[in-house]
Amino acid sequence: MTEQPAPPLTLSHRAHLKAALEMAREAVAAGSSPVGAVLVNEQDEVVARGRNRVGEDQTAEHVGGASVAHAEMDVFFALGKLKNPGKLTLYTSLEPCLMCGGASALLGMGRVVWATDDAWGGSGRLIKWADHPAMQATEVMACPYPDLEAEGARLFAPEARRAFPDEGWELWRKRYPAETQDVEEQDAEEDQG
C-alpha cells in the first residue's frame, strides 16, 4: 500500500458528526442499535452514509440481520472498493468496535473521528489506537465536541444497558454518569413496579 497524506484538517468535523448522530437516530427508528456513520472525501463532501442495521432484514442495497451490519460496515459495503482511502475521513456517532476499527485500518482510512467513546465495546478499550500496527497511518480523533459527545452518550446509553454485561454498563456509568442517569432511573422505576 502506498503512503498517502492524511485528509486536510479543514474538514467540517462538527457538521459531519451531527450527520453521523442523525444516522444513529435513523437506526433506532428502524429497530437497530443507535450508531451512525458518514464517509467524507478531501473536498469535505459526504460520499456515503451508513447506520447500524443489525435489527433489520438484509436487502439488495444493505447488509442487514447480521452481527456485522454495523454502521461503518454499512458504509464500506455500500461503496465497495475504495479509491484513495487515505484521503477519506470516517465519522461515527460511537467509537468503532474492533471489527469496524480494524476494517478502517485495513482499508487505509486517512482519519477516523467519533462523537462518543464506547467505554465497553470500543477498540481503544482493548488496544490503544496509536499502539495498533495497522492504525499507524490513520489519524484518530476522539470526541472533539463535548456537547455532541454527551448527545451520543444519551442516545446510546439505553442500548449499552440492554446489550452489555453488568461490567460494561458499569464502565458506561463511570464514563458518562449524567448521560446514563435517565436509564438508571428507568431501571429503578421498573424494579419498584
Side-chain angles (χ1 to χ4, degrees):
M1 183 183 296
T2 59
E3 192 78 20
Q4 297 175 356
L9 293 173
T10 57
L11 297 176
S12 306
H13 296 311
R14 185 173 188 80
H16 298 311
L17 286 169
K18 287 177 91 167
L21 287 164
E22 184 55 38
M23 294 303 297
R25 283 188 280 281
E26 283 185 27
V28 172
S32 288
S33 298
V35 183
V38 295
L39 192 62
V40 175
N41 65 19
E42 64 185 326
Q43 287 79 38
D44 207 28
E45 302 163 330
V46 174
V47 295
R49 296 174 190 275
R51 59 180 172 78
N52 186 290
R53 295 177 186 275
V54 171
E56 303 167 49
D57 291 335
Q58 185 160 325
T59 67
E61 295 83 28
H62 298 282
V63 173
S67 297
V68 297
H70 291 194
E72 301 89 341
M73 302 306 281
D74 190 34
V75 166
F76 298 148
F77 286 132
L79 286 177
K81 187 164 176 66
L82 298 176
K83 200 172 181 183
N84 297 318
K87 296 184 179 196
L88 300 173
T89 299
L90 177 68
Y91 292 90
T92 65
S93 61
L94 187 69
E95 178 184 2
C97 69
L98 275 175
M99 175 181 69
C100 297
S104 299
L106 292 172
L107 290 170
M109 287 291 109
R111 182 182 295 132
V112 178
V113 184
W114 61 84
T116 305
D117 286 338
D118 185 348
W120 174 254
S123 290
R125 175 181 171 270
L126 303 168
I127 183 170
K128 298 288 183 222
W129 284 86
D131 293 344
H132 194 289
M135 293 300 289
Q136 298 307 305
T138 302
E139 180 185 357
V140 175
M141 288 181 65
C143 316
Y145 302 102
D147 62 322
L148 296 183
E149 180 179 10
E151 181 181 341
R154 282 189 303 275
L155 186 61
F156 193 79
E159 177 70 8
R161 180 65 182 123
R162 182 195 69 74
F164 294 161
D166 289 344
E167 176 188 1
W169 178 240
E170 256 330 286
L171 290 172
W172 260 80
R173 286 183 55 229
K174 286 178 183 169
R175 177 69 177 95
Y176 295 112
E179 293 81 0
T180 57
Q181 186 172 355
D182 288 346
V183 177
E184 286 289 302
E185 290 170 4
Q186 186 177 6
D187 282 354
E189 288 174 15
E190 288 174 7
D191 288 344
Q192 292 175 355

